[in-house]
Amino acid sequence: MHTQTGHVEAMNAMNIGWILILKDNQPGMYAAASTLPWDSEPILYATAETGHGRHEVRTIRVTSHVPELIRRKLPAAAQLTLIERYRHDVRGRDAAAACRAATADGDGDDLGLTACAAAHGAKLSCETVLAVTALTPAQAGSEFLLDRNRSHWGIENGLHYRRDVTLGEDASRLRAGQSPRLLAAIGNTVTSVLNRAGHASHAAARRDLGWDRTSLRALTLLGL
């Protein structure tokens, strides 16, 4: 949604070093980026994690060869990145330990994850993300760019998922007048209050508060 010429020009005027995701709602730019010879670009950085019931490896390739179409629509574009996220499910502590060992010994594009998934009888999935940035190689290396992409998903999980799913905005049928705007304002307030109180799981916090028939705990969170 934000990968638009107008947005980029406004950020350039404010000297903001932007990073934007390319998706197929911009078919021309997406095709120009996806058809680059990425196989000839080496993996510059990778991370591996085992936890929350899955084994995941993230890799990043970076190039300064930005197609003219993208430079024209997104002025100041300096680098393109290809991020690949490989993952498979993990069941049990022993399996998680085996996954960590497999990643440490692995090689190739997925750092041994293909063989690891096969050994556990798990299905391996791969998600590809294309991104463009105004930051030059001197300003942002591969580790920085991969970390910033991960931070983007932190925002998605920490705010949008909580509003859309935990607070039920996606399931809401309110349409009349200012009702949707009011619901969003209430959701933002609830999210902010629970964040300030240090609740990592908002769903669990709301359940606990709901069982408090006195409502005193909720009032305490509001400073009342």
Side-chain angles (χ1 to χ4, degrees):
M1 182 177 67
H2 296 292
T3 310
Q4 306 291 338
T5 303
H7 291 178
V8 166
E9 290 175 342
M11 288 188 287
N12 289 344
M14 293 185 285
N15 199 31
I16 294 174
W18 46 266
I19 304 172
L20 297 170
I21 304 298
L22 290 173
K23 293 188 176 181
D24 54 11
N25 63 335
Q26 295 277 10
M29 289 194 291
Y30 185 87
S34 64
T35 54
L36 289 174
W38 287 107
D39 287 343
S40 64
E41 297 291 342
I43 293 175
L44 298 178
Y45 184 71
T47 62
E49 296 179 359
T50 303
H52 305 290
R54 64 177 180 267
H55 182 195
E56 182 173 88
V57 170
R58 296 167 181 258
T59 66
I60 184 170
R61 306 170 195 255
V62 185
T63 180
S64 297
H65 299 293
V66 181
E68 179 59 30
L69 172 65
I70 296 177
R71 290 185 183 275
R72 187 171 64 252
K73 291 191 173 184
L74 306 177
Q79 296 188 91
L80 283 170
T81 69
L82 173 69
I83 297 171
E84 293 173 302
R85 295 195 285 256
Y86 302 88
R87 64 170 65 93
H88 71 78
D89 291 339
V90 176
R91 295 290 180 268
R93 184 175 299 177
D94 292 341
C99 286
R100 294 188 185 96
T103 300
D105 295 337
D107 53 18
D109 285 1
D110 60 9
L111 303 185
L113 200 60
T114 302
C116 182
H120 288 81
K123 181 180 179 181
L124 179 66
S125 66
C126 178
E127 181 181 6
T128 300
V129 177
L130 289 165
V132 57
T133 178
L135 298 170
T136 65
Q139 293 173 313
S142 55
E143 182 176 353
F144 177 90
L145 293 172
L146 186 59
D147 178 70
R148 286 299 178 270
N149 177 262
R150 184 68 178 273
S151 298
H152 162 78
W153 287 105
I155 295 171
E156 176 68 26
N157 293 333
L159 176 60
H160 300 300
Y161 182 87
R162 284 170 173 168
R163 282 183 47 174
D164 295 343
V165 180
T166 305
L167 296 177
E169 284 193 19
D170 279 356
S172 173
R173 303 184 67 179
L174 291 175
R175 298 290 184 272
Q178 298 298 315
S179 297
R181 188 184 298 272
L182 177 60
L183 179 65
I186 294 172
N188 287 340
T189 301
V190 170
T191 298
S192 296
V193 169
L194 294 179
N195 281 341
R196 287 178 178 272
H199 290 285
S201 172
H202 286 201
R206 293 176 68 237
R207 285 194 297 270
D208 291 342
L209 291 168
W211 281 106
D212 177 19
R213 302 306 183 189
T214 67
S215 299
L216 294 177
R217 289 180 59 194
L219 293 174
T220 300
L221 288 179
L222 295 171
L224 300 176

